[in-house]
Amino acid sequence: MSIQETIITKLTNSLAPTHIEVINESFMHNVPPDSETHFKVIVVAKEFDQKNRLQRQKLVYQILSA
């Protein structure tokens, strides 16, 4: 499973998002071809309703670190 697929799976299983996009932006950085090192993640989920931007980011990092 690719890193991109792993990110999508972890966030989907934990947050049940209504919208999720995981975009590999590695090509924009000085890395070897086909690298998976830099991602842009867009997630819309009910879990975020009462959280500010920093709390949302911390939650995403916590889910992905597991």
Side-chain angles (χ1 to χ4, degrees), residues 8-57:
I8 292 169
T9 299
K10 285 184 174 187
L11 293 176
T12 299
N13 291 343
S14 296
L15 298 173
T18 56
H19 178 80
I20 186 168
E21 289 180 56
V22 179
I23 303 157
N24 185 346
E25 294 187 340
S26 301
F27 69 92
M28 297 166 53
H29 300 272
N30 188 18
V31 296
D34 300 322
S35 292
E36 291 188 294
T37 56
H38 297 81
F39 294 92
K40 178 178 182 177
V41 177
I42 302 169
V43 182
V44 179
K46 188 82 168 155
E47 180 74 27
F48 293 148
D49 281 354
Q50 300 301 316
K51 292 181 173 48
N52 64 38
R53 186 175 179 174
L54 181 59
Q55 291 169 323
R56 293 172 186 178
Q57 186 174 0

